[in-house]
Amino acid sequence: MCILFIYVNSGHGGDGDPVLGEYRLILASNRDEYYARPAKIAGPWDESPHVIGGRDMEPGREGGTWLAIGSDIPAGIIRVGALLNVTGENKPNVTSGRGPIVADYVSGTTPNEDYSRRLLAADSYGAFNFVSVELDRTKASVLHASNAPTGIIRCDLTAPLGFGNSTMDVPLEKVRHGRKRFGDIVDKQLKVTTDCDRDALVEDLFGLLKSKEKYFPDKELSRRAPAQAEKLASINVRFPEAGYGSRTRTVILVDHQNRMEFVEETMVSTSPEGEWKRTHIQRQF
């Protein structure tokens, strides 16, 4: 399970130039995973220093990622990729791990629509939702690609977006309610003014990602995960008896001058009650 909220500034009409003085991108995400699964804390990648993100370090799957941002400087393009599994879907003939899906996208130069089409044409993965963001010098696009069912959706950018572990047309209740809360935060702190405003925005977004409120009952979640549905019904999942839950939370901001803030809080121990580490990376794209 994971959850992802995105606001992309593409003009008030959704298809024009971004509004100057406002953030181009606001992103908030929780990674839900087994607490004991090894991972690297977010940072620039050794083999691709233009990419920033965490890395999966599970033996045999080293180097994959669930969320990362990269910049194609010559082309003036910023790319963000995020991967979410689709719960309760049985995909036969799975031969490949999903970790490289985001890594290959953000470290490469292939446009997100072409990349998504190739990804689905060569599908050998477990069920996934792949969300890709592209910001060029004046335009923006967000695509949702999935193999359960197979298809690509170009997202409407006139409102904040929310993604979870179900299909786009039947969102989980926590995605639906969380998207509304995310939108309220964005509306309050949309303009880029001072460092204090930025810090307030980051803390408000982390407050959303830490929310333990359960959005239950949830018919779709109960259908997909009948035995664990109530445990998974909050934005911040805490399922310690299974050693599972929201173990990394990430906020990414890109302002109108392409200055990026990547702020991550991640578990250091194998318990959500233990130590957490905050990482703050700034970069001018």
Side-chain angles (χ1 to χ4, degrees):
M1 303 292 285
C2 293
I3 199 164
L4 172 70
F5 303 106
I6 295 175
Y7 164 81
V8 170
N9 176 357
S10 62
H12 290 153
D15 58 359
D17 292 342
V19 179
L20 293 179
E22 295 185 0
Y23 284 103
R24 299 195 67 197
L25 172 70
I26 301 173
L27 180 151
S29 174
N30 271 346
R31 181 199 185 202
D32 301 340
E33 186 52 86
Y34 287 102
Y35 297 145
R37 185 164 178 166
K40 278 187 177 181
I41 290 171
W45 294 359
D46 292 340
E47 76 281 17
S48 301
H50 62 290
V51 174
I52 295 168
R55 310 294 296 267
D56 186 7
M57 295 305 294
E58 184 177 41
R61 299 186 178 183
E62 298 92 339
T65 190
W66 56 95
L67 172 67
I69 182 169
S71 60
D72 181 353
I73 294 174
I77 295 174
I78 299 169
R79 291 186 173 87
V80 181
L83 187 71
L84 308 93
N85 73 326
V86 184
T87 302
E89 296 287 342
N90 181 31
K91 294 288 290 183
N93 303 319
V94 173
T95 59
S96 302
R98 293 172 292 193
I101 291 176
V102 170
D104 291 347
Y105 170 65
V106 295
S107 60
T109 59
T110 303
N112 58 353
E113 186 165 0
D114 292 343
Y115 184 87
S116 296
R117 286 177 176 169
R118 294 177 193 173
L119 179 66
L120 296 180
D123 180 28
S124 57
Y125 306 99
F128 67 80
N129 290 324
F130 170 59
V131 180
S132 57
V133 181
E134 282 192 5
L135 306 175
D136 68 15
R137 291 184 174 89
T138 60
K139 306 294 183 184
S141 69
V142 179
L143 298 186
H144 172 275
S146 181
N147 64 352
T150 299
I152 300 172
I153 297 171
R154 183 171 293 275
C155 298
D156 179 6
L157 303 184
T158 58
L161 302 169
F163 306 92
N165 304 105
S166 63
T167 58
M168 284 277 289
D169 59 332
V170 188
L172 302 182
E173 288 297 314
K174 64 179 181 179
V175 174
R176 192 169 64 84
H177 287 275
R179 181 174 57 210
K180 171 63 168 60
R181 292 176 60 183
F182 175 74
D184 291 343
I185 293 169
V186 168
D187 287 343
K188 184 175 73 172
Q189 294 283 3
L190 182 58
K191 290 190 178 296
V192 183
T193 53
T194 68
D195 290 344
C196 291
D197 292 333
R198 181 202 63 210
D199 293 344
L201 173 58
V202 169
E203 295 310 318
D204 284 350
L205 293 171
F206 275 128
L208 170 65
L209 296 176
K210 295 175 184 178
S211 174
K212 300 174 186 176
E213 181 177 355
K214 291 187 182 296
Y215 298 100
F216 198 78
D218 183 331
K219 183 177 179 180
E220 180 67 3
L221 183 55
S222 295
R223 183 182 74 82
R224 291 183 173 275
Q228 300 88 23
E230 189 169 359
K231 292 285 188 180
L232 302 174
S234 54
I235 292 172
N236 178 27
V237 174
R238 293 172 63 89
F239 199 173
E241 56 267 43
Y244 181 88
S246 300
R247 53 168 291 175
T248 301
R249 35 188 183 255
T250 306
V251 169
I252 300 175
L253 308 176
V254 178
D255 73 10
H256 62 289
Q257 295 179 315
N258 286 343
R259 291 188 297 248
M260 186 213 68
E261 310 273 344
F262 189 115
V263 190
E264 176 187 277
E265 293 183 345
T266 193
M267 285 172 49
V268 176
S269 69
T270 57
S271 168
E273 304 299 337
E275 182 184 356
W276 287 70
K277 178 178 175 61
R278 178 175 282 205
T279 301
H280 187 179
I281 300 167
Q282 297 174 301
R283 179 168 291 185
Q284 176 67 58
F285 284 142

